Amino acid sequence: MKILCLHGRGSNNDIFQLQTAAFRSELNDFAFEYVQGTVPHTEGNWSLYTAAFPDTPLYGYYNPLQPASVTQAEDDLLQLIEQEGPFDGVLAYSGGTALAAQIIIRDSQKNAFSLPDERPFRFAIFINGVTPLKVIPAQEVKGESLDQSNDSSLAMEEVSNLLLRDSATRVRKKRSEYDTYDPAAIKQDIASLESRVTLDGRPCLSNGIEAITRYHADLDGVLIDIPTLHVRCLEEVDEDHGLNLTKLCESELVTEYFHKNGEDFPRGHTEMKRIAQLIRGTAERA
């Protein structure tokens, strides 16, 4: 059983290997292959695990403020899957879940009649799943620019809160030579985008050529029809931290497990053992 592993935003392969070590030890007949992001991450010390690796650079898979970066990450991962695969499943955490879901959705929409063994993955494990992003051409965006009183400005507010929040400005205890936090550059990226609304009514951020928005089950329906395991914190109030991704998946093929660690990674011997069991069960259903 060959599994592709995608770490969270602001992480790296070393951290993700540590996070998954406990349940991987229960799955010694599985092979886990880790793919590290290449976009330097801007945030500081927010997690138990990032604190354990103060000297290593942190990465994401794309810049969420640049449509071309999102599309390039999808292209690169699909090429890697073609070259290094086949993979039976994907194991992804936080920001990595969005990219994994984007790959699954993109392939399904392009190859609607492909057989299970022709798809990138036969099953997916999403830990603290994030709603996947969708890059669309400017023609699918309403022409008028929207002012800050409009509901669509929530998209701009959201990215500002995410990328300029306190944890983003917090320097890790032992600052790495790779730490590249630059709030001015982030603000410049944000300023290059406008809050708009897509033709089907969802908030988006547009640079005039392309726009970034999110998939949403209320508008898109079910887009992922392979067995999925969703490990998430039920106490999360933001639906984009797990619930929306779950709704994009075929309900009859969904398994859920809830932990108590918020946005951080689940942990504890009993919990990790149970997650290993659920991963095996999801793989067996594929």
Side-chain angles (χ1 to χ4, degrees):
M1 195 70 67
K2 189 175 178 181
I3 312 299
L4 183 72
C5 302
L6 302 176
H7 60 71
R9 193 174 66 91
S11 187
N12 57 45
N13 282 351
D14 290 339
I15 293 172
F16 199 32
Q17 287 172 14
L18 174 64
Q19 289 171 319
T20 58
F23 63 67
R24 283 190 293 114
S25 68
E26 304 284 337
L27 300 166
N28 52 21
D29 53 331
F30 284 54
F32 296 88
E33 297 195 12
Y34 290 77
V35 177
Q36 187 161 274
T38 59
V39 178
H41 189 65
T42 59
E43 288 197 22
N45 181 30
W46 69 273
S47 164
L48 168 70
Y49 295 95
T50 56
F53 290 85
D55 293 322
T56 61
L58 305 178
Y59 297 103
Y61 291 101
Y62 49 66
N63 183 337
L65 298 176
Q66 297 177 3
S69 177
V70 177
T71 304
Q72 187 64 56
E74 295 174 0
D75 291 342
D76 291 345
L77 188 58
L78 283 168
Q79 183 178 25
L80 182 144
I81 292 169
E82 183 176 348
Q83 294 174 345
E84 304 294 333
F87 292 94
D88 296 288
V90 60
L91 165 66
Y93 170 53
S94 189
T97 65
L99 178 57
Q102 288 160 215
I103 291 297
I104 295 168
I105 293 169
R106 176 169 158 175
D107 176 77
S108 176
Q109 292 177 335
K110 183 178 180 181
N111 306 297
F113 300 104
S114 60
L115 299 173
D117 61 355
E118 296 173 326
R119 297 182 175 188
F121 314 110
R122 295 187 297 109
F123 65 91
I125 313 300
F126 298 130
I127 301 177
N128 289 10
V130 174
T131 305
L133 298 183
K134 180 180 183 181
V135 175
I136 58 176
Q139 291 88 334
E140 296 182 28
V141 176
K142 292 183 180 179
E144 68 271 17
S145 180
L146 297 159
D147 62 41
Q148 294 301 305
S149 64
N150 192 286
D151 286 344
S152 73
S153 65
L154 291 174
M156 189 70 78
E157 180 181 348
E158 180 182 350
V159 297
S160 296
N161 289 342
L162 176 66
L163 298 176
L164 296 172
R165 61 186 179 181
D166 289 344
S167 63
T169 61
R170 190 183 309 140
V171 176
R172 289 192 283 175
K173 290 181 180 178
K174 187 175 181 182
R175 187 177 180 87
S176 166
E177 63 179 293
Y178 300 98
D179 287 345
T180 56
Y181 176 70
D182 185 354
I186 296 173
K187 290 177 181 178
Q188 185 173 355
D189 276 346
I190 293 175
S192 70
L193 301 171
E194 289 187 301
S195 294
R196 301 287 183 94
V197 171
T198 65
L199 296 179
D200 60 6
R202 69 187 86 195
C204 68
L205 296 174
S206 175
N207 62 9
I209 301 172
E210 295 177 303
I212 300 174
T213 186
R214 282 189 169 122
Y215 289 100
H216 200 288
D218 290 346
L219 295 171
D220 299 305
V222 171
L223 296 176
I224 298 176
D225 62 354
I226 59 176
T228 55
L229 169 62
H230 302 257
V231 179
R232 61 189 182 92
C233 180
L234 191 58
E235 298 169 359
E236 286 288 355
V237 296
D238 186 345
E239 293 188 353
D240 288 314
H241 289 167
L243 183 59
N244 281 343
L245 175 55
T246 305
K247 289 180 177 179
L248 288 168
C249 300
E250 177 58 59
S251 60
E252 293 183 358
L253 298 175
V254 164
T255 300
E256 293 186 279
Y257 176 82
F258 302 110
H259 66 85
K260 299 285 188 180
N261 293 297
E263 295 182 24
D264 214 338
F265 205 82
R267 48 188 176 270
H269 176 75
T270 301
E271 187 157 79
M272 298 301 259
K273 190 176 184 68
R274 179 57 180 152
I275 291 172
Q277 293 169 346
L278 293 172
I279 291 174
R280 186 177 296 280
T282 304
E284 290 173 351
R285 287 192 297 132

mmCIF file of all heavy atoms in Angstrom, residues 19 50 163 203 221 255 257:
data_model
loop_
_atom_site.group_PDB
_atom_site.id
_atom_site.type_symbol
_atom_site.label_atom_id
_atom_site.label_comp_id
_atom_site.label_asym_id
_atom_site.label_seq_id
_atom_site.Cartn_x
_atom_site.Cartn_y
_atom_site.Cartn_z
ATOM 1 N N GLN A 19 4.929 13.906 13.268
ATOM 2 C CA GLN A 19 3.506 13.937 13.600
ATOM 3 C C GLN A 19 2.827 12.594 13.333
ATOM 4 O O GLN A 19 1.920 12.186 14.070
ATOM 5 C CB GLN A 19 2.812 15.042 12.797
ATOM 6 C CG GLN A 19 3.173 16.456 13.239
ATOM 7 C CD GLN A 19 2.655 17.515 12.287
ATOM 8 O OE1 GLN A 19 2.706 17.349 11.069
ATOM 9 N NE2 GLN A 19 2.150 18.606 12.833
ATOM 10 N N THR A 50 6.246 22.600 15.269
ATOM 11 C CA THR A 50 7.185 23.537 14.661
ATOM 12 C C THR A 50 8.208 23.999 15.688
ATOM 13 O O THR A 50 9.353 24.285 15.353
ATOM 14 C CB THR A 50 6.450 24.761 14.069
ATOM 15 O OG1 THR A 50 5.656 25.382 15.081
ATOM 16 C CG2 THR A 50 5.547 24.352 12.922
ATOM 17 N N LEU A 163 -3.029 35.643 7.205
ATOM 18 C CA LEU A 163 -1.621 35.838 6.876
ATOM 19 C C LEU A 163 -0.956 36.935 7.698
ATOM 20 O O LEU A 163 0.271 37.024 7.725
ATOM 21 C CB LEU A 163 -1.473 36.153 5.384
ATOM 22 C CG LEU A 163 -1.941 35.033 4.452
ATOM 23 C CD1 LEU A 163 -1.854 35.473 3.011
ATOM 24 C CD2 LEU A 163 -1.138 33.751 4.667
ATOM 25 N N PRO A 203 -17.798 34.474 -2.894
ATOM 26 C CA PRO A 203 -16.741 35.474 -2.773
ATOM 27 C C PRO A 203 -15.448 34.980 -3.418
ATOM 28 O O PRO A 203 -15.145 33.775 -3.396
ATOM 29 C CB PRO A 203 -16.557 35.643 -1.266
ATOM 30 C CG PRO A 203 -17.795 35.090 -0.661
ATOM 31 C CD PRO A 203 -18.251 34.004 -1.584
ATOM 32 N N GLY A 221 -21.933 20.619 -5.099
ATOM 33 C CA GLY A 221 -22.364 19.253 -4.844
ATOM 34 C C GLY A 221 -21.201 18.383 -4.407
ATOM 35 O O GLY A 221 -20.141 18.869 -3.998
ATOM 36 N N THR A 255 -15.762 8.504 6.537
ATOM 37 C CA THR A 255 -15.584 8.106 7.929
ATOM 38 C C THR A 255 -15.036 9.313 8.677
ATOM 39 O O THR A 255 -14.130 9.990 8.169
ATOM 40 C CB THR A 255 -14.609 6.933 8.068
ATOM 41 O OG1 THR A 255 -15.104 5.812 7.332
ATOM 42 C CG2 THR A 255 -14.429 6.528 9.532
ATOM 43 N N TYR A 257 -13.508 11.006 12.429
ATOM 44 C CA TYR A 257 -12.970 10.804 13.781
ATOM 45 C C TYR A 257 -12.648 12.188 14.341
ATOM 46 O O TYR A 257 -12.003 13.001 13.669
ATOM 47 C CB TYR A 257 -11.702 9.942 13.754
ATOM 48 C CG TYR A 257 -11.079 9.795 15.120
ATOM 49 C CD1 TYR A 257 -11.560 8.859 16.024
ATOM 50 C CD2 TYR A 257 -10.025 10.631 15.506
ATOM 51 C CE1 TYR A 257 -11.002 8.744 17.295
ATOM 52 C CE2 TYR A 257 -9.469 10.515 16.781
ATOM 53 C CZ TYR A 257 -9.958 9.570 17.660
ATOM 54 O OH TYR A 257 -9.420 9.459 18.917
#
